[in-house]
Amino acid sequence: KNEVEQSPQNLTAQEGEFITINCSYSVGISALHWLQQHPGGGIFSLFMLSSGKKKHGRLIATINIQEKHSSLHITASHPRDSAVYICAVKWGAFGSARQLTFGSGTQLTVLP
Amino acid sequence: DSGVTQTPKHLITATGQRVTLRCSPRSGDLSVYWYQQSLDQGLQFLIQYYNGEERAKGNILERFSAQQFPDLHSELNLSSLELGDSALYFCASTRQSGANVLTFGAGSRLTVL
């Protein structure tokens, strides 16, 4: 069983829609990353968070430590947001050598 | 351009062969991570180096090895290649060894025929 679960696996939206991608994990973590992978393969780090909420432009990431759950929201979605969004968690104490475990990704397609 | 440079971008080789993938981290970053992304397994952590020393090991096969050189660039060596080794191999770097934001290279796509 994958210790990091993402949903949905695939998501198609119309331009302008509000989008939510979810990530759940099984045990306590020190940090959670949201990554974006473009069709060409390149991976970009969007957020790293260990509590609360972060916002960058139209992207918002939240994490609920008690619920072991994080969400990535995209407001006013645009076709250029089409990509695979990957959640990754870092187990263990902050600063430890435990490395990232990745979710299977959510393929987002935004139609014009 | 993320500042993390990976070469080669594409590589096609045959089973049983050996290849070397190279990664130059972002200027000032001391830690290098290697990841493998295959169609059936998704992204998996292979190995981490920090300032020349191995810091953590993940799902890295014995046929694979890596090192980080004094100039901080890193090489991932894959030997006795099998069809299942076909994948995208990513390198990422951070300034410290802990839970910092990762900067990824563009990846090296390996195809084993």
Side-chain angles (χ1 to χ4, degrees):
Chain A
K1 180 182 181 297
N2 194 334
E3 296 169 342
V4 181
E5 299 283 348
Q6 277 189 245
S7 63
Q9 271 192 316
N10 294 283
L11 180 57
T12 300
Q14 289 296 134
E15 183 173 355
E17 284 185 9
F18 180 84
I19 286 160
T20 296
I21 298 170
N22 297 297
C23 176
S24 297
Y25 49 91
S26 53
V27 296
I29 62 170
S30 60
L32 183 143
H33 297 247
W34 281 103
L35 309 171
Q36 180 190 55
Q37 185 169 25
H38 289 286
I43 298 177
F44 298 91
S45 183
L46 298 175
F47 296 103
M48 185 192 72
L49 62 167
S50 54
S51 64
K53 175 179 170 177
K54 286 192 177 180
K55 184 175 189 290
H56 186 260
R58 296 180 294 105
L59 300 177
I60 303 165
T62 64
I63 188 168
N64 184 319
I65 299 296
Q66 287 73 31
E67 298 290 323
K68 298 185 176 60
H69 180 268
S70 175
S71 292
L72 177 68
H73 306 285
I74 304 176
T75 61
S77 60
H78 189 277
R80 66 174 173 266
D81 297 325
S82 298
V84 176
Y85 292 84
I86 302 168
C87 164
V89 301
K90 188 177 177 80
W91 314 108
F94 187 89
S96 76
R98 299 290 299 277
Q99 298 305 321
L100 294 179
T101 299
F102 298 85
S104 53
T106 295
Q107 172 70 62
L108 171 66
T109 304
V110 182
L111 302 174
Chain B
D1 182 5
S2 68
V4 178
T5 304
Q6 286 190 249
T7 57
K9 285 190 170 38
H10 301 275
L11 189 54
I12 301 173
T13 189
T15 55
Q17 295 299 304
R18 172 191 168 93
V19 298
T20 297
L21 309 180
R22 182 188 168 102
C23 169
S24 293
R26 202 176 52 156
S27 178
D29 285 359
L30 299 177
S31 198
V32 169
Y33 304 73
W34 285 99
Y35 299 94
Q36 179 194 56
Q37 186 179 38
S38 58
L39 279 174
D40 56 342
Q41 298 273 5
L43 267 165
Q44 291 195 91
F45 165 68
L46 294 178
I47 197 164
Q48 179 205 359
Y49 281 84
Y50 177 75
N51 205 20
E53 303 275 335
E54 182 184 303
R55 183 56 66 99
K57 233 174 190 177
N59 299 322
I60 188 165
L61 300 171
E62 284 191 14
R63 300 183 286 107
F64 296 0
S65 65
Q67 55 183 323
Q68 186 179 28
F69 294 86
D71 66 353
L72 300 177
H73 91 271
S74 178
E75 293 180 357
L76 179 66
N77 301 297
L78 316 174
S79 61
S80 303
L81 285 169
E82 301 175 0
L83 296 177
D85 298 327
S86 295
L88 263 169
Y89 291 85
F90 287 99
C91 163
S93 71
T94 63
R95 195 161 298 264
Q96 305 291 339
S97 177
N100 293 60
V101 174
L102 293 161
T103 302
F104 285 83
S108 292
R109 184 176 294 277
L110 173 66
T111 303
V112 182
L113 301 175

